Amino acid sequence: MIQAILVFNNHGKPRLVRFYQHFPEEIQQQIVRETFHLVLKRDDNICNFLEGGSLIGGSDYKLIYRHYATLYFVFCVDSSESELGILDLIQVFVETLDKCFENVCELDLIFHMDKVHYILQEVVMGGMVLETNMNEIVAQIEAQNRLEKSEGGALG
Amino acid sequence: MALKMVKGSIDRMFDKNLQDLVRGIRNHKEDEAKYISQCIDEIKQELKQDNIAVKANAVCKLTYLQMLGYDISWAAFNIIEVMSASKFTFKRIGYLAASQSFHEGTDVIMLTTNQIRKDLSSPSQYDTGVALTGLSCFVTPDLARDLANDIMTLMSHTKPYIRKKAVLIMYKVFLKYPESLRPAFPRLKEKLEDPDPGVQSAAVNVICELARRNPKNYLSLAPLFFKLMTSSTNNWVLIKIIKLFGALTPLEPRLGKKLIEPLTNLIHSTSAMSLLYECVNTVIAVQRHVPSFQLCVQKLRILIEDSDQNLKYLGLLAMSKILKTHPKSVQSHKDLILQCLDDKDESIRLRALDLLYGMVSKKNLMEIVKKLMTHVDKAEGTTYRDELLTKIIDICSQSNYQHITNFEWYISILVELTRLEGTRHGHLIAAQMLDVAIRVKAIRKFAVSQMSTLLDNAHLVASSTQRNGICEVLYAATWICGEFSEHLQEPQHTLEAMLRPKVTTLPGHIQAVYVQNVVKLYASILQQKEQAAETEAAQAVTQLMVDRLPQFVQSADLEVQERASCILQLVKHVQKLQAKGVPVAEEVSALFAGELNPVAPKAQKKVPVPEGLDLDAWINEPLSDSESEDEKPKAMFHEEEQRQAKHRLPEVDEEELARRREARKQEQANNPFYIKSSPSPQKRYQDSPGVEHIPVCPPYVRLEEERRHRQRLEKDKRRKKRRDKEKKGKRRHGSLPTESDEDIAPAQQVDIVTEEMPENALPSDEDDKDPNDPYRALDIDLDKPLADSEKLPVQKHRNAENAKSPEKEDVPVVEKKSKKPKKKEKKHKEKERDKEKKKEKKKVRSAPRPVPVPVCALELGIRDNSEYTGHGDSESRQGAKPSKHKKKHKKEKEEQPKDKKRSRKKLLGSEEAPGEPVQNGALEEEPLPVRGTSLMIALLLQTYSVQGSLQDSQVTVSIILENLSGSVLKSMELSVLDSLNTRMARPEGSSVHDGVPVPFQLPPGVSNEAQFVFTVQSIVMAQKLKGTLSFIAKDDAGATHEKLDFKLHFSCSSYLTTTPCYSDAFAKLLESGDLSMSSIRVDGISMSFQNLLTKICFHHHFSVVERVDSCASMYSRSIQGHHVCLLVKKGENSVSVDGKCSDSTLLSNVLEEMKATLAMC
């Protein structure tokens, strides 16, 4: 199971916070901060796994992250997930974002947090991997966007 | 109203949307909080408006603020309003907000039940999808209970998009509402073979997640997973399955043997690192097969040597698993692991540290610890340093300090560790100091001298508040100095150190120990002085006490205060006596006479129950009705077993008991480690795969006797082995065999005082499981048929009363083997073609990507998208795609009458492949000439299950109706031609020829389940009933009346209900002699016996009474109370089944059916 998916930038500003287990808001913020500090001090050329977050999970949990330009994508997962598999999943997620936003950059995530969530929802559901095939994910997102458009968008 | 609308939309133009909010926050960096509180006020205004668009916009902004840490629970009700909007756009916003902010404590959540149910059954798949996604995040036990049935229906939705979501969410539902697991499981299992790879993967995901927590309940799925493993090309699915096997093999050793070959093949063939890694992991778990094991270790070494830090990390991680079972294989890579200790990456260093545990020996312990100590000095983060500290202690203390030859050295190391600043592990060091000082008598003198120096420097340790973690060490130091005060060089000096005013700044529990040990020290000084007749010096010491103790009397800590005032009075009294010249030392020392011995942590637990005391017996007989409650059939397999065990207990005769007790005593006497609190991993390994592992119960007395004999032999052998080992080792040490026993003479004569245990202690090493574990509730036996009480709460339809016991179907999975392999091959070929195409495409695509270029992807250009997981996944999907298209195509064609027959046959084909055994109560659809003209009859009578219940010889048939056409199906009626023997239960007042209405309508693409009750008179023969389903199909063109014929097959097995039977009752039954006998024999069976039994249990509703080697007795009972007993024996390639039953016809029919099942194995 995936327990949390966090996206934050190089300064620790959250861009996407998705917990699959309930934490009160202030704890969520604390977890983001702690995770940021854990990840920040790591060089880019060392491994993408780390243990030792004190707030989330326990010994069974691991943080698996990737660093892209200005953003960190961090997945907190338990031992039922394959570490390398999750690394690939992050890549799938980012590539999907890239496709949906056409050259995604941090600004897209800043201004369209809702859309990022909708994309994530097609990849991971309730903490479990839903779909790993990028074409399938993109197809579903586009279909939903079309549906939204046909309804006249959020302002209609 | 219209005006209001216009006004609303004008207002809206001035509202901020999400983007404006974000921009605003970015522009107000200095007074962000103030700006946001302003925005929240605006949002509150917006939420008050009637316009749903305004509300949705406001909720969307709230979701953003939630991410920034603002509590938005006050808007929960508004969120629900937005969720219930009719437009998808708004609904999605609402569900997103809910998924981010709702939780079990949200009180309005119960208001959502009906809305969610409505959305789940919405004709738009995206409404359903969004509701499922949302629900997966905030499902509560109530929601799970109320919606379980709706979600279960969605698992058979026509759209794979919905199916996969419904399958995944079931896991959440199970967690919150464990009762749903059994009714839903058959369908979940069915989804393992779903044609859509996404759905299949979801089902694998859920079952793996379930099985991880309670693997034993899923053993019966092993064959199915095995099939999937050898056929699937989706690496994601493969990884999950292989992980699952890793959890299953320890429970079923024979599985391991079967797995080795395919796993080794995968290891050799796959290019996906992730898959390779998981294979290696599982082979390690199997750990029986030596060559493949070595292959794994080799592969791991390659991983560790890889320049990719991720692989290095995982390699070390897997090594640590091997360490537990094969320390020697790891030791041979010591060089590599020590090298990793110097890695720049902390994660890797930590992993390497874990491995060190198994690397140490008497020879290299000092060297390794020295190396670690230098790391401690260099370490920056406290986490890593603390980890180093615990590892040093772990390594040194492992297996009763097995590797330590010089305890003086160890004490010095511990003292050195106290110099660490800000560590959290002061108590660990303290515990070690105490343990060593108490258990190694020879070291006490040295320890005391070291501790007194520590106390002397106490101001150093306690000076800064930040270091309070380390002050725990003082607890140990004081106690050691007090308890073993006879070894002190300068007791007076130490006493003064302990009475310093600084001490009062320490935490209360440490001060308390100070106070207590000050007296011990005082007593010993007093004695010394009196023996030397230095009365003045003695009085001086007393004066010192009287002067200094009041500082503790004033302590805020109750414990300290109480002890101090007590002692102060005592000392004052001593002072008076001293003044009179009375010798007091003897009496004061008497306070602390006697030696403290270490007691094993579990000593209390192991106190044996005195003979004649039955802890399970009632003291007072319980009230009768509470007892009957206890008796209620509960699903927990677990409990059943316990009851059985208790039941069996008295069978063991007195003699046997005495013998066992004797053996236990002897074993105990011979094994110094018997009392150790945790058995060493090696020992556990020896124990686990023994004969005892296979469940055996008694009635075949002779076999049982044999087994015991074997066990005894085995035990003796083990004991002998252990004894031999002990002879070799000079000291008593743990059974962990590290390097060949080197004979290093310990620096000082060390005797480790073993911990005290009660006489005749019982072995009780089982660790109590955490009773709060949420997954325990899911420990449910899934092979038992459903009881009436277990049905899921279904929304009642008016007509539902007659369907008396709406049990969920216990659907045997219809295996669609025959076609699959061919498809797979084709896919494979397609894949290869695709692969090349894809590679080209991919390269083009990944090249012009701008800003967020993934670091790894750049380096590893070839690996691209799935750098670790490989291409299998996306390809298999692509392979599947064309077929999906075809299907769509077909559906379109269905509208045309021409294709009627063909597509109908297809429906049939997918239901039951030719040559399959007839399932319990399988429904046969016969391709009759189509009567309708304009419309294809596209109703699929999908599944069926016949379930007998013990009351009134009634059976319930569950039928899933799925509408594959484009029209709405209404007024469905099921009519069956009753036979003399079997009648359908109809509503009162209706005649034999009337049909029973199906209590629902079916919109296109929807499936639902209907249940019908039949009364059966004689059950000894299988029955076939002809029936017709009539319905009105309505579409744009109009409505037509249509019919669909089918046959209902009631097999004899479907009249059997799985009833547990205890072996003694079983034996009695066989002896009684009023059963008739019959037998069958089937040749050419390759399936393992376990699987065979599982099949029989599953398809024919038997339960295993007892199993010994390849022979098993099984029992079942018909709904009319016939006993059916079987003895199943497996030979080389054949299986013979001898049956005894109170009705010979029933028996021969059941055996016939079984023969058909077995012939398929």
Side-chain angles (χ1 to χ4, degrees):
Chain A
M1 288 271 282
I2 301 169
Q3 202 182 18
I5 295 173
L6 310 173
V7 180
F8 44 74
N9 72 359
N10 288 349
H11 306 288
K13 285 253 185 222
R15 296 300 176 215
L16 177 93
V17 176
R18 172 78 269 188
F19 283 91
Y20 294 104
Q21 184 198 342
H22 175 68
F23 288 104
E25 274 77 10
E26 73 254 43
I27 306 282
Q28 291 190 358
Q29 293 298 309
Q30 241 170 301
I31 293 174
V32 173
R33 264 195 303 271
E34 189 197 54
T35 314
F36 169 65
H37 286 299
L38 281 174
V39 169
L40 182 70
K41 60 182 180 202
R42 297 175 63 85
D43 291 339
D44 268 346
N45 55 352
I46 62 178
C47 79
N48 300 40
F49 314 117
L50 81 158
E51 296 135 79
S54 61
L55 290 167
I56 196 164
S59 59
D60 197 33
Y61 285 87
K62 256 195 205 91
L63 296 175
I64 299 177
Y65 74 97
R66 272 179 186 265
H67 188 198
Y68 296 92
T70 60
L71 291 173
Y72 284 98
F73 287 73
V74 186
F75 281 43
C76 176
V77 303
D78 69 11
S79 60
S80 73
E81 302 294 341
S82 146
E83 291 88 349
L84 296 175
I86 293 292
L87 270 183
D88 279 345
L89 189 71
I90 300 179
Q91 179 72 18
V92 167
F93 179 43
V94 173
E95 280 187 35
T96 312
L97 288 176
D98 193 46
K99 250 192 169 173
C100 293
F101 285 108
E102 290 168 11
N103 299 341
V104 66
C105 67
E106 197 189 337
L107 281 177
D108 293 315
L109 273 78
I110 295 174
F111 284 105
H112 301 282
M113 182 209 68
D114 49 344
K115 297 210 171 63
V116 180
H117 267 295
Y118 300 144
I119 294 168
L120 181 63
Q121 282 175 357
E122 297 302 326
V123 184
V124 177
M125 182 177 136
M128 282 184 288
V129 181
L130 178 69
E131 184 58 73
T132 51
N133 180 347
M134 193 165 58
N135 296 333
E136 174 74 19
I137 299 167
V138 173
Q140 296 299 348
I141 301 226
E142 279 170 357
Q144 292 178 53
N145 289 345
R146 275 197 301 276
L147 181 59
E148 192 173 293
K149 223 176 235 169
S150 74
E151 287 180 345
L155 292 173
Chain B
M1 186 65 201
L3 191 69
K4 215 172 174 185
M5 291 278 279
V6 173
K7 193 169 163 283
S9 58
I10 291 172
D11 277 350
R12 238 178 309 140
M13 291 169 61
F14 299 104
D15 289 342
K16 289 192 190 81
N17 63 14
L18 176 62
Q19 282 76 36
D20 299 326
L21 175 76
V22 175
R23 210 166 286 128
I25 294 174
R26 285 162 72 83
N27 289 337
H28 290 77
K29 286 221 165 87
E30 310 80 44
D31 53 347
E32 194 183 287
K34 196 177 148 208
Y35 179 77
I36 289 179
S37 76
Q38 230 173 49
C39 290
I40 291 182
D41 285 340
E42 281 170 26
I43 289 171
K44 282 184 177 159
Q45 289 306 314
E46 287 164 27
L47 287 175
K48 280 182 190 152
Q49 294 190 32
D50 286 337
N51 190 316
I52 193 72
V54 178
K55 270 187 192 162
N57 184 41
V59 165
C60 185
K61 287 190 280 184
L62 280 178
T63 314
Y64 182 80
L65 294 178
Q66 195 272 343
M67 179 180 76
L68 298 184
Y70 289 85
D71 175 31
I72 62 164
S73 56
W74 52 270
F77 189 75
N78 304 102
I79 292 173
I80 294 182
E81 282 180 307
V82 177
M83 277 161 71
S84 49
S86 55
K87 279 192 181 176
F88 170 74
T89 316
F90 303 142
K91 197 181 281 297
R92 182 153 76 154
I93 293 171
Y95 272 104
L96 174 61
S99 73
Q100 289 289 75
S101 65
F102 284 11
H103 53 93
E104 270 182 41
T106 310
D107 46 2
V108 290
I109 216 166
M110 60 189 183
L111 299 178
T112 57
T113 318
N114 278 321
Q115 179 57 42
I116 296 173
R117 178 174 288 139
K118 210 176 107 194
D119 289 335
L120 288 182
S121 57
S122 158
S124 156
Q125 61 164 328
Y126 291 113
D127 282 353
T128 313
V130 102
L132 284 173
T133 308
L135 188 62
S136 72
C137 294
F138 59 77
V139 60
T140 63
D142 285 344
L143 283 175
R145 190 193 59 232
D146 294 339
L147 297 172
N149 197 50
D150 302 69
I151 298 171
M152 210 169 96
T153 319
L154 289 179
M155 284 186 2
S156 321
H157 199 276
T158 45
K159 296 263 177 18
Y161 179 72
I162 297 301
R163 282 209 302 276
K164 72 183 174 193
K165 287 195 168 193
V167 167
L168 268 195
I169 201 180
M170 277 320 278
Y171 179 63
K172 293 284 174 134
V173 173
F174 296 151
L175 277 184
K176 299 287 176 188
Y177 179 55
E179 289 86 339
S180 60
L181 176 57
R182 274 167 47 75
F185 192 71
R187 196 173 296 180
L188 181 63
K189 202 169 133 187
E190 218 175 67
K191 295 297 149 203
L192 283 176
E193 299 190 287
D194 196 278
D196 182 83
V199 182
Q200 197 184 41
S201 151
V204 170
N205 224 327
V206 170
I207 292 187
C208 290
E209 205 56 62
L210 287 169
R212 198 165 76 95
R213 308 292 181 177
N214 300 298
K216 70 173 190 318
N217 299 337
Y218 299 86
L219 269 178
S220 61
L221 289 185
L224 187 58
F225 275 112
F226 192 81
K227 208 177 90 192
L228 278 177
M229 182 175 85
T230 43
S231 62
S232 177
T233 51
N234 182 337
N235 283 345
W236 289 88
V237 169
L238 281 175
I239 287 173
K240 284 278 172 188
I241 294 177
I242 289 166
K243 264 183 174 283
L244 174 70
F245 276 129
L248 292 183
T249 37
L251 300 175
E252 179 50 275
R254 278 160 298 183
L255 190 59
K257 241 187 256 164
K258 252 194 126 176
L259 281 173
I260 287 294
E261 201 201 315
L263 286 181
T264 336
N265 288 344
L266 272 174
I267 290 177
H268 283 300
S269 65
T270 186
S271 60
M273 276 321 224
S274 54
L275 188 58
L276 172 89
Y277 176 68
E278 295 306 338
C279 289
V280 168
N281 253 335
T282 299
V283 173
I284 293 168
V286 175
Q287 57 174 258
R288 301 210 129 193
H289 195 252
V290 182
S292 58
F293 192 81
Q294 274 160 358
L295 171 74
C296 285
V297 179
Q298 267 170 29
K299 286 274 176 189
L300 287 181
R301 186 171 174 112
I302 294 172
L303 287 186
I304 297 174
E305 281 169 338
D306 200 294
S307 62
D308 185 335
Q309 295 279 323
N310 289 332
L311 300 183
K312 187 177 283 218
Y313 171 90
L314 292 174
L316 290 168
L317 193 66
M319 276 283 191
S320 65
K321 283 177 197 153
I322 299 184
L323 186 65
K324 285 177 195 138
T325 54
H326 295 69
K328 277 208 179 121
S329 326
V330 183
Q331 272 161 7
S332 54
H333 301 286
K334 192 154 69 189
D335 52 320
L336 195 60
I337 288 156
L338 286 177
Q339 206 179 309
C340 289
L341 268 187
D342 295 321
D343 201 283
K344 60 184 184 300
D345 189 341
E346 191 181 294
S347 297
I348 286 175
R349 286 199 306 259
L350 283 173
R351 289 275 73 90
L353 265 184
D354 277 352
L355 286 170
L356 274 186
Y357 188 82
M359 307 267 105
V360 289
S361 64
K362 283 182 191 171
K363 265 186 204 151
N364 62 15
L365 176 74
M366 289 195 184
E367 176 201 340
I368 288 180
V369 171
K370 195 173 153 199
K371 190 161 180 175
L372 291 181
M373 290 301 281
T374 59
H375 278 285
V376 170
D377 292 337
K378 280 191 288 180
E380 284 160 14
T382 48
T383 342
Y384 179 56
R385 214 182 42 191
D386 282 356
E387 191 61 34
L388 275 169
L389 192 154
T390 42
K391 272 289 131 51
I392 292 176
I393 290 180
D394 272 0
I395 291 172
C396 293
S397 64
Q398 69 169 304
S399 341
N400 253 348
Y401 307 100
Q402 180 190 352
H403 301 299
I404 294 186
T405 49
N406 182 345
F407 277 91
E408 278 187 18
W409 165 84
Y410 185 45
I411 291 279
S412 322
I413 290 287
L414 289 174
V415 171
E416 209 171 311
L417 286 174
T418 62
R419 310 226 153 83
L420 280 185
E421 275 180 47
T423 175
R424 289 183 288 129
H425 292 306
H427 61 98
L428 266 184
I429 305 176
Q432 283 292 297
M433 287 172 167
L434 286 172
D435 200 40
V436 172
I438 294 168
R439 295 173 63 184
V440 187
K441 277 189 180 147
I443 200 68
R444 285 180 190 166
K445 195 172 162 75
F446 181 77
V448 166
S449 75
Q450 290 287 308
M451 293 303 121
S452 62
T453 358
L454 258 188
L455 286 180
D456 225 11
N457 298 333
H459 61 280
L460 267 177
V461 185
S463 59
S464 132
T465 47
Q466 218 193 15
R467 298 177 193 166
N468 51 11
I470 203 68
C471 67
E472 291 288 333
V473 173
L474 292 177
Y475 178 103
T478 328
W479 190 86
I480 293 171
C481 287
E483 185 66 25
F484 307 119
S485 48
E486 69 270 18
H487 298 298
L488 273 175
Q489 298 283 328
E490 298 173 85
Q492 186 102 22
H493 186 74
T494 311
L495 183 69
E496 273 168 43
M498 282 161 79
L499 286 169
R500 276 195 204 117
K502 271 271 184 207
V503 172
T504 53
T505 59
L506 289 171
H509 68 282
I510 298 180
Q511 281 187 55
V513 176
Y514 262 86
V515 174
Q516 197 72 13
N517 284 286
V518 158
V519 197
K520 286 186 202 164
L521 197 48
Y522 168 68
S524 90
I525 294 175
L526 217 56
Q527 192 147 30
Q528 265 176 28
K529 300 289 179 199
E530 273 189 17
Q531 272 165 6
E534 298 173 29
T535 32
E536 254 171 58
Q539 279 173 1
V541 177
T542 314
Q543 189 55 44
L544 181 74
M545 292 285 281
V546 175
D547 289 344
R548 295 288 178 81
L549 276 175
Q551 62 183 349
F552 293 111
V553 177
Q554 289 157 12
S555 170
D557 191 281
L558 276 183
E559 179 82 18
V560 181
Q561 200 191 51
E562 196 176 2
R563 288 191 193 195
S565 42
C566 211
I567 287 163
L568 184 60
Q569 288 313 312
L570 184 82
V571 176
K572 277 183 180 163
H573 186 69
V574 169
Q575 198 173 26
K576 272 186 213 158
L577 292 176
Q578 274 182 328
K580 288 180 200 157
V582 185
V584 283
E586 276 303 315
E587 283 169 74
V588 177
S589 315
L591 283 175
F592 308 105
E595 203 179 346
L596 289 179
N597 283 332
V599 174
K602 283 188 176 170
Q604 176 70 45
K605 244 200 226 167
K606 297 192 177 184
V607 176
V609 180
E611 242 168 282
L613 175 64
D614 181 5
L615 288 176
D616 295 319
W618 290 104
I619 296 174
N620 292 313
E621 277 304 313
L623 295 176
S624 56
D625 67 324
S626 73
E627 194 179 42
S628 67
E629 222 164 78
D630 280 352
E631 224 77 281
K632 239 176 216 170
K634 260 235 162 157
M636 309 294 167
F637 181 50
H638 202 80
E639 273 185 13
E640 204 93 69
E641 215 169 43
Q642 272 175 359
R643 221 179 293 157
Q644 207 168 334
K646 249 180 245 161
H647 194 82
R648 236 185 288 137
L649 217 58
E651 260 192 47
V652 187
D653 55 51
E654 247 343 271
E655 212 184 275
E656 171 73 9
L657 266 178
R659 197 193 57 73
R660 281 193 204 164
R661 215 172 292 134
E662 196 47 49
R664 204 187 305 133
K665 262 188 204 157
Q666 220 179 17
E667 193 179 17
Q668 227 169 294
N670 287 329
N671 181 3
F673 293 96
Y674 188 73
I675 45 168
K676 264 185 54 193
S677 47
S678 57
S680 73
Q682 178 65 20
K683 196 171 139 202
R684 218 178 297 147
Y685 172 53
Q686 281 183 338
D687 279 345
S688 57
V691 198
E692 309 97 297
H693 197 64
I694 301 164
V696 187
C697 344
Y700 287 95
V701 184
R702 202 175 40 81
L703 283 170
E704 167 69 352
E705 217 33 64
E706 219 174 81
R707 184 185 68 86
R708 282 194 194 141
H709 182 69
R710 242 181 297 150
Q711 210 173 332
R712 231 174 292 151
L713 283 177
E714 189 111 340
K715 233 186 226 166
D716 284 346
K717 234 189 264 167
R718 239 182 285 149
R719 210 182 300 152
K720 226 188 227 163
K721 236 194 238 165
R722 225 175 279 154
R723 238 181 271 149
D724 289 347
K725 227 181 265 165
E726 273 153 33
K727 268 180 215 155
K728 264 191 241 160
K730 263 196 177 169
R731 253 176 48 205
R732 316 153 171 182
H733 57 65
S735 39
L736 191 87
T738 42
E739 293 185 10
S740 57
D741 279 297
E742 335 96 286
D743 274 315
I744 298 180
Q748 57 267 96
Q749 201 47 49
V750 191
D751 56 336
I752 291 189
V753 181
T754 33
E755 296 152 326
E756 283 194 347
M757 275 301 237
E759 244 175 84
N760 200 10
L762 292 167
S764 64
D765 273 328
E766 79 283 349
D767 282 307
D768 295 339
K769 276 188 192 163
D770 176 15
N772 295 326
D773 182 6
Y775 304 104
R776 259 187 98 174
L778 287 179
D779 187 5
I780 294 170
D781 180 21
L782 296 160
D783 298 330
K784 271 202 307 193
L786 284 172
D788 268 3
S789 53
E790 286 181 297
K791 66 192 173 186
L792 284 181
V794 190
Q795 254 199 315
K796 286 275 188 279
H797 294 280
R798 243 173 300 135
N799 287 335
E801 298 97 270
N802 58 353
K804 210 198 93 209
S805 54
E807 292 159 72
K808 288 290 149 273
E809 78 299 21
D810 190 335
V811 186
V813 174
V814 182
E815 285 161 283
K816 300 157 198 165
K817 310 179 200 162
S818 53
K819 275 188 177 174
K820 254 195 173 159
K822 271 184 214 157
K823 241 192 233 165
K824 279 272 142 69
E825 273 171 30
K826 236 189 257 168
K827 253 186 225 167
H828 202 70
K829 271 177 209 156
E830 271 176 33
K831 222 177 297 155
E832 285 194 335
R833 252 178 282 134
D834 281 359
K835 210 184 257 175
E836 282 156 14
K837 268 189 229 160
K838 230 184 116 200
K839 261 186 196 161
E840 285 166 35
K841 249 198 251 165
K842 274 262 163 73
K843 268 180 200 156
V844 180
R845 193 158 34 84
S846 57
R849 192 184 309 125
V851 195
V853 178
V855 190
C856 284
L858 256 191
E859 291 175 356
L860 315 162
I862 324 150
R863 281 187 187 171
D864 85 81
N865 176 355
S866 319
E867 79 187 70
Y868 295 113
T869 316
H871 306 282
D873 167 46
S874 42
E875 276 148 20
S876 71
R877 294 296 170 83
Q878 283 199 340
K881 270 237 165 110
S883 70
K884 223 191 263 170
H885 277 303
K886 244 181 251 164
K887 232 194 228 160
K888 240 189 218 163
H889 215 58
K890 242 179 210 168
K891 239 179 230 163
E892 283 158 20
K893 273 189 192 162
E894 276 172 20
E895 309 295 336
Q896 303 164 7
K898 269 198 271 179
D899 280 321
K900 273 172 217 161
K901 250 189 189 162
R902 214 192 70 203
S903 37
R904 181 153 207 221
K905 264 193 188 141
K906 189 212 116 213
L907 294 181
L908 280 173
S910 71
E911 230 355 82
E912 265 181 296
E916 280 295 306
V918 180
Q919 301 291 349
N920 300 334
L923 195 73
E924 290 171 16
E925 241 184 310
E926 297 205 331
L928 293 177
V930 183
R931 271 165 285 188
T933 43
S934 64
L935 196 116
M936 169 56 203
I937 300 173
L939 192 70
L940 178 57
L941 287 143
Q942 202 189 14
T943 25
Y944 35 83
S945 111
V946 180
Q947 277 285 312
S949 66
L950 276 170
Q951 305 118 334
D952 328 324
S953 302
Q954 281 191 336
V955 282
T956 308
V957 179
S958 303
I959 298 176
I960 292 181
L961 300 159
E962 186 174 357
N963 182 359
L964 297 174
S965 73
S967 17
V968 179
L969 305 184
K970 305 206 300 197
S971 316
M972 283 182 279
E973 261 190 14
L974 191 89
S975 45
V976 173
L977 219 57
D978 287 354
S979 71
L980 276 178
N981 192 23
T982 311
R983 291 165 201 276
M984 188 166 170
R986 298 183 169 81
E988 256 176 78
S990 48
S991 83
V992 208
H993 304 292
D994 289 346
V996 173
V998 178
F1000 48 77
Q1001 299 185 353
L1002 280 181
V1006 171
S1007 66
N1008 205 337
E1009 182 177 314
Q1011 278 150 344
F1012 303 92
V1013 179
F1014 291 81
T1015 47
V1016 186
Q1017 281 185 342
S1018 161
I1019 58 158
V1020 298
M1021 302 254 272
Q1023 299 274 334
K1024 266 188 191 169
L1025 290 189
K1026 274 192 180 167
T1028 312
L1029 182 79
S1030 62
F1031 53 90
I1032 295 173
K1034 196 178 171 190
D1035 58 8
D1036 303 337
T1040 44
H1041 201 260
E1042 302 285 347
K1043 275 185 179 175
L1044 186 66
D1045 291 344
F1046 60 87
K1047 264 188 193 173
L1048 269 175
H1049 181 91
F1050 292 84
S1051 65
C1052 280
S1053 301
S1054 60
Y1055 298 128
L1056 298 181
T1057 51
T1058 314
T1059 322
C1061 180
Y1062 300 134
S1063 40
D1064 46 349
F1066 187 80
K1068 238 178 237 167
L1069 201 62
L1070 288 180
E1071 283 163 14
S1072 68
D1074 28 74
L1075 304 180
S1076 48
M1077 211 187 126
S1078 172
S1079 47
I1080 52 161
R1081 184 190 159 89
V1082 185
D1083 289 319
I1085 289 182
S1086 53
M1087 189 180 254
S1088 82
F1089 193 51
Q1090 177 63 38
N1091 295 345
L1092 213 72
L1093 292 183
T1094 320
K1095 275 220 161 186
I1096 296 176
C1097 289
F1098 186 85
H1099 291 300
H1100 303 285
H1101 307 168
F1102 276 86
S1103 61
V1104 178
V1105 178
E1106 190 203 18
R1107 166 157 178 214
V1108 180
D1109 294 331
S1110 56
C1111 184
S1113 52
M1114 307 180 88
Y1115 176 80
S1116 185
R1117 203 167 156 200
S1118 79
I1119 57 173
Q1120 290 179 342
H1122 302 106
H1123 303 284
V1124 189
C1125 308
L1126 295 183
L1127 181 62
V1128 184
K1129 277 182 265 179
K1130 171 127 167 72
E1132 275 286 285
N1133 263 322
S1134 67
V1135 173
S1136 68
V1137 182
D1138 299 313
K1140 279 194 168 184
C1141 174
S1142 30
D1143 187 295
S1144 58
T1145 333
L1146 177 66
L1147 180 63
S1148 58
N1149 280 323
V1150 168
L1151 287 181
E1152 264 326 292
E1153 285 166 18
M1154 206 169 289
K1155 199 169 179 177
T1157 316
L1158 292 177
M1160 299 303 298
C1161 295

